[in-house]
């Protein structure tokens, strides 16, 4: 008996088929019980946690935050989202999400308000923004609901915009917040992502001014993030070292929402 079992867990011995089967079975059961134990522990923890101000149960939020610290390490200016020729861009672009677009837009009164670190506000018109160099971005737009579409956008690179308006102290902070004019939709974005070379303040789609439901006059296009972060109809931007409030984060989604 022992001559049969003993060698199974000693590294040196050669095993016959029956011994190998037993070894693999024992190892499989071991991992089965470990994973079942972790799952049971997680389930017990979750049952007693209530949905917090962070939009979900604390254990789930901790998992999302841990994912964020791993994925933010992968974000780099050298990692570009795949781009496509304009001929591959969809002509009929999907429209999704109307938060912050439900109030009538005051086109002539619209300004981009940039709240500076010292509290001053820059109040910019579309002409101010269109004067800056224009960049096209054609990429695969991805929504967490599960659809994606190759789409063609153009506007000013966020880094060109920040340079033109001398937002040096501002981009040294950790986050940027964007809000629609009526405050109905709002996002917070980590600074490395907004400074990524493919992030644009966008005013054109397929070579035309943005349609109203796609965020006219100005929206964010940020290919390193899921659709939820591409805020349409920007009214105000501000900078902070703490995470700015974020519409979908408050409803349980991942804050980082990176791709
Ligand atoms: N103002 C505003 N911007 C928004 C949303 C919204 O509800 N309101 N939805 C977001 C989501 S979930 C997605 S997928 C994209 C969709 O952009 P599209 O309508 O141009 O396809 O916009 C994002 N920006
Ligand atoms: Mo979305």
């Amino acid at each position: 008996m022992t001559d049969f079992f003993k060698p199974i867990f000693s590294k040196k011995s050669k095993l016959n088929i029956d011994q190998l089967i037993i070894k693999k079975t024992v190892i499989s059961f071991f991992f089965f019980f470990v994973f079942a134990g972790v799952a049971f522990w997680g389930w017990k923890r979750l049952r007693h946690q209530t949905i917090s101000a962070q939009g979900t149960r604390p254990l789930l939020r901790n998992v999302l935050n841990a994912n964020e610290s791993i994925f933010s390490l992968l974000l780099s200016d050298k990692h570009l989202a795949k781009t496509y020729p304009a001929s591959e861009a969809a002509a009929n672009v999907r429209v999704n999400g109307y938060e912050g677009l439900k109030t009538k837009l005051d086109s002539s009164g619209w300004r981009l308000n940039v709240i500076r670190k010292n509290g001053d506000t820059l109040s910019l018109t579309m002409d101010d923004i269109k004067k800056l160099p224009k960049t096209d971005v054609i990429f695969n737009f991805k929504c967490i609901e599960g659809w994606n579409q190759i789409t063609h956008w153009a506007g000013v690179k966020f880094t060109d915009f920040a340079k033109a308006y001398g937002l040096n102290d501002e981009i040294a902070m950790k986050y940027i917040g964007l809000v629609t004019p009526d405050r109905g939709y709002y996002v917070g974005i980590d600074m490395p992502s907004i400074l990524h070379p493919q992030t644009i303040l966008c005013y054109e789609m397929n070579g035309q001014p943005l349609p109203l439901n796609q965020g006219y006059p100005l929206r964010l296009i940020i290919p390193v993030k899921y659709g939820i972060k591409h805020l349409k109809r920007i009214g105000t931007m501000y900078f902070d070292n703490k995470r700015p409030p974020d519409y979908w984060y408050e409803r349980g989604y991942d804050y980082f929402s990176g791709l």
Side-chain angles (χ1 to χ4, degrees), residues 94-101 141 143 147 153 180 185 213-214 219 227-228 230-232 248:
R94 255 184 109 130
V95 180
N96 196 45
Y98 293 89
E99 303 309 323
L101 306 181
F141 190 109
C143 171
W147 55 269
W153 312 90
T180 56
Y185 197 69
N213 55 19
Q214 307 271 11
R219 74 174 299 173
I228 44 175
H230 298 228
L231 181 133
K232 300 187 277 193
W248 283 110

Side-chain angles (χ1 to χ4, degrees), residues 77-139:
D77 283 3
K78 285 169 200 75
H79 291 168
L80 299 183
K82 186 173 191 292
T83 54
Y84 299 81
S87 58
E88 284 188 37
N92 296 317
V93 181
R94 255 184 109 130
V95 180
N96 196 45
Y98 293 89
E99 303 309 323
L101 306 181
K102 292 168 187 162
T103 35
K104 200 175 171 303
L105 176 74
D106 168 14
S107 302
S108 57
W110 179 91
R111 295 288 182 279
L112 173 63
N113 297 304
V114 181
I115 303 176
R116 304 205 57 160
K117 194 182 172 195
N118 64 10
D120 290 350
T121 299
L122 286 170
S123 183
L124 308 175
T125 63
M126 267 323 295
D127 285 342
D128 295 328
I129 292 160
K130 286 183 177 163
K131 268 186 215 140
L132 303 173
K134 185 159 116 184
T135 301
D136 286 74
V137 178
I138 306 161
F139 78 111

